[in-house]
């Protein structure tokens, strides 16, 4: 079945560092990918919708200059957390929707646990 | 705006008991999808079921069953003869529209289910 790969699975870094997270669709082309954030013991909140070849659509309250999204190909979207601070520590998870129509659910990556010291 | 409510924050039962997880949703759209996902401690999201708003037929898959009632805007999930491996956080989610591009997922707060041996 369809698989979405997310890398890295865990990142620990110092405050001020920029961190890039990759989301790849392994056996299908994904024109649309989604980035979610999940704080401990909380729900998943959509951050942005990543569209191949165009600018990402950000949800209200999400800083586009802070969370840079690039969807340069049909199989790869990247989320860069720029100048990360401890409050950015969270679980980031991506998903991809297959383009064959609405019969396929979103396929989720395994998530990236980001810890900023 | 759409909203998903999972009123049960945590549930703890003894193995082999049946357990029902509640989900109530709000949407102004007449066409939408409802989902259930399982999130084990490792963090990945496991897709369990998708239902569209035109299909109120209940579904059974092994020990899992789902009851969709549009009249009460509910999409409840029952695990029969629970097992320790069922321990996880379960999320109910909603996406509006059945056309491509309308696939943003709105998640409930999640229900942490603990099955004790």
């Amino acid at each position: 079945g369809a698989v979405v790969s997310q890398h890295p699975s865990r990142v620990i870094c110092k405050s001020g560092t920029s961190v890039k997270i990759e989301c790849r669709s392994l056996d299908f082309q994904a024109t649309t990918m989604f980035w979610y954030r999940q704080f401990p013991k909380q729900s998943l909140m959509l951050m942005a919708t990543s569209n191949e070849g165009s600018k990402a659509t950000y949800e209200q309250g999400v800083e586009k200059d802070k969370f840079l999204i690039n969807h340069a190909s049909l199989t790869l979207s990247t989320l860069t957390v720029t100048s990360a601070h401890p409050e950015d520590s969270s679980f980031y998870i991506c998903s991809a929707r297959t383009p064959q129509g609405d019969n396929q659910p979103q396929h989720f990556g395994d998530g990236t646990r980001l810890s900023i010291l | 705006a759409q909203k998903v409510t999972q009123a049960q924050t945590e549930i703890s039962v003894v193995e082999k008991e049946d357990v029902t997880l509640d989900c109530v949703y709000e949407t102004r759209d007449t066409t939408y999808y409802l989902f259930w996902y399982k999130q084990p401690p490792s963090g990945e999201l496991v897709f369990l079921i998708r239902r569209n708003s035109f299909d109120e037929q209940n579904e059974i898959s092994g020990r899992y069953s789902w009851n969709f009632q549009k009249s009460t805007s509910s999409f409840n999930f029952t695990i029969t003869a629970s097992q320790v491996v069922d321990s996880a956080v379960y999320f109910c989610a909603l996406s509006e529209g059945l056309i491509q591009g309308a696939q943003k997922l709105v998640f409930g707060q999640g229900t942490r289910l603990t099955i004790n041996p």
Side-chain angles (χ1 to χ4, degrees):
Chain A
V3 177
V4 173
S5 173
Q6 193 171 335
H7 178 80
S9 58
R10 188 176 183 93
V11 180
I12 302 173
C13 57
K14 294 181 179 180
S15 184
T17 306
S18 291
V19 178
K20 180 185 283 188
I21 303 170
E22 293 186 348
C23 181
R24 292 181 185 274
S25 56
L26 296 184
D27 57 0
F28 65 97
Q29 294 181 332
T31 55
T32 303
M33 292 185 175
F34 303 89
W35 287 96
Y36 295 85
R37 180 167 59 184
Q38 184 181 28
F39 290 110
K41 296 190 176 183
Q42 294 191 24
S43 187
L44 287 85
M45 299 298 293
L46 180 66
M47 299 175 64
T49 302
S50 171
N51 302 297
E52 187 270 336
S54 64
K55 291 182 179 180
T57 304
Y58 290 81
E59 295 299 300
Q60 191 173 10
V62 178
E63 300 175 58
K64 58 182 66 177
D65 294 331
K66 174 75 172 178
F67 300 100
L68 300 178
I69 291 173
N70 185 292
H71 195 155
S73 78
L74 286 171
T75 58
L76 174 65
S77 175
T78 60
L79 168 68
T80 301
V81 184
T82 62
S83 188
H85 292 284
E87 58 266 27
D88 298 322
S89 298
S90 185
F91 187 65
Y92 293 86
I93 190 165
C94 71
S95 71
R97 180 173 63 82
T98 57
Q100 292 106 336
D102 299 304
N103 291 327
Q104 296 294 325
Q106 290 183 27
H107 302 281
F108 284 85
D110 287 344
T112 296
R113 201 165 298 280
L114 176 62
S115 300
I116 308 299
L117 305 177
Chain B
Q2 61 270 41
K3 183 181 178 182
V4 177
T5 302
Q6 294 177 254
Q8 305 148 307
T9 305
E10 294 189 27
I11 298 176
S12 181
V13 300
V14 177
E15 199 172 19
K16 298 184 182 178
E17 286 186 21
D18 299 347
V19 58
T20 295
L21 309 181
D22 297 333
C23 173
V24 175
Y25 62 92
E26 297 176 27
T27 177
R28 294 179 181 175
D29 211 328
T30 56
T31 57
Y32 50 88
Y33 279 111
L34 294 164
F35 303 80
W36 275 95
Y37 287 90
K38 174 182 180 180
Q39 187 178 44
S42 49
E44 76 273 18
L45 279 178
V46 179
F47 167 77
L48 296 178
I49 190 172
R50 182 197 73 245
R51 255 295 176 262
N52 74 56
S53 52
F54 299 112
D55 183 3
E56 284 193 75
Q57 189 172 10
N58 293 329
E59 183 158 337
I60 297 175
S61 177
R63 297 184 295 109
Y64 296 170
S65 62
W66 292 269
N67 185 310
F68 176 27
Q69 293 196 356
K70 288 181 74 171
S71 61
T72 55
S73 296
S74 65
F75 187 43
N76 297 337
F77 172 32
T78 297
I79 301 175
T80 303
S82 60
Q83 299 176 2
V84 173
V85 293
D86 295 327
S87 297
V89 179
Y90 290 85
F91 289 98
C92 181
L94 165 75
S95 80
E96 288 182 333
L98 292 179
I99 60 174
Q100 282 198 11
Q103 289 287 313
K104 293 194 295 187
L105 284 176
V106 175
F107 286 85
Q109 287 299 104
T111 297
R112 183 174 301 275
L113 176 64
T114 302
I115 310 298
N116 299 298

